[in-house]
Amino acid sequence: MALDELKSAIPDYAKDLRLNLGSVIGNSPLPAQQLWGTVLACAIASRSPKVLAELEPEAKANLSAEAYTAAKSAAAIMAMNNVFYRTRHLLSDPEYGNLRAGLRMNVIGNPGVEKTDFELWCLAVSAINGCGQCLDSHEQVLRKAGVERETIQEAVKVASVLQAVGVTIDAEERLSA
């Protein structure tokens, strides 16, 4: 199992990550599509080749073709949006907020899966990429759609653990090279 491979690559000094990885994926209360879409989108967003290589096949096996594509789309569109909207937020000149973005984001309106699933994946990627404006926007959409805070937090837990696992494993590979 790829999850076991990934867990075995985590060094002993980060054993909490190993435990958390098993928990957020193996014991997740999220429905399978929400979980594996979150896993795939966050594995991509983590920028860790090892995390993506180990988790992508299992995500693909647990997602429909449409959900698999939508999770990749969430990672792609948020890679752009998180930079753009985080920059707007961080600039001290509020006039940038009045300018037209002029960026295509059609997939957000028509992701090919349930809107709440796609929004959850976008929120999780935004957590990894650190965009407060996108986090707020996607959280508000999810809450208005009736998604519980606990569900949102589960997706953020997946994001935080996958990011930490990727950083740790990639650092160990570089340090041992």
Side-chain angles (χ1 to χ4, degrees):
M1 175 189 225
L3 184 57
D4 290 335
E5 283 291 316
L6 198 55
K7 285 164 60 173
S8 71
I10 299 171
D12 285 339
Y13 69 79
K15 66 182 175 185
D16 287 333
L17 295 180
R18 191 178 309 127
L19 296 170
N20 287 328
L21 181 61
S23 176
V24 299
I25 294 178
N27 298 322
S28 177
L30 295 174
Q33 179 165 294
Q34 285 183 352
L35 171 63
W36 288 105
T38 302
V39 167
L40 179 58
C42 290
I44 293 168
S46 77
R47 297 173 185 85
S48 170
K50 177 83 170 172
V51 169
L52 183 57
E54 294 299 334
L55 294 177
E56 183 275 338
E58 198 161 348
K60 190 171 191 175
N62 282 283
L63 292 168
S64 66
E66 296 80 12
Y68 178 79
T69 298
K72 292 191 307 181
S73 296
I77 198 70
M78 297 320 294
M80 176 185 70
N81 284 358
N82 292 156
V83 171
F84 183 81
Y85 288 104
R86 183 178 61 237
T87 300
R88 263 191 177 182
H89 175 75
L90 292 172
L91 289 170
S92 59
D93 184 349
E95 288 303 311
Y96 286 101
N98 296 325
L99 298 176
R100 183 178 169 276
L103 298 172
R104 294 197 180 271
M105 301 174 226
N106 296 329
V107 71
I108 292 174
N110 188 18
V113 294
E114 286 187 43
K115 182 100 166 114
T116 54
D117 291 353
F118 189 79
E119 289 287 333
L120 192 67
W121 304 336
C122 289
L123 177 125
V125 171
S126 296
I128 289 174
N129 291 334
C131 182
Q133 190 169 355
C134 291
L135 281 166
D136 281 344
S137 175
H138 294 289
E139 190 267 348
Q140 288 171 12
V141 170
L142 287 163
R143 295 291 293 140
K144 284 181 186 167
V147 175
E148 298 292 328
R149 286 180 180 89
E150 292 80 5
T151 299
I152 293 167
Q153 181 168 289
E154 284 300 319
V156 173
K157 285 167 53 176
V158 170
S160 65
V161 171
L162 291 186
Q163 175 67 12
V165 167
V167 166
T168 302
I169 290 174
D170 291 352
E172 280 301 304
E173 287 179 355
R174 287 185 193 103
L175 292 170
S176 65

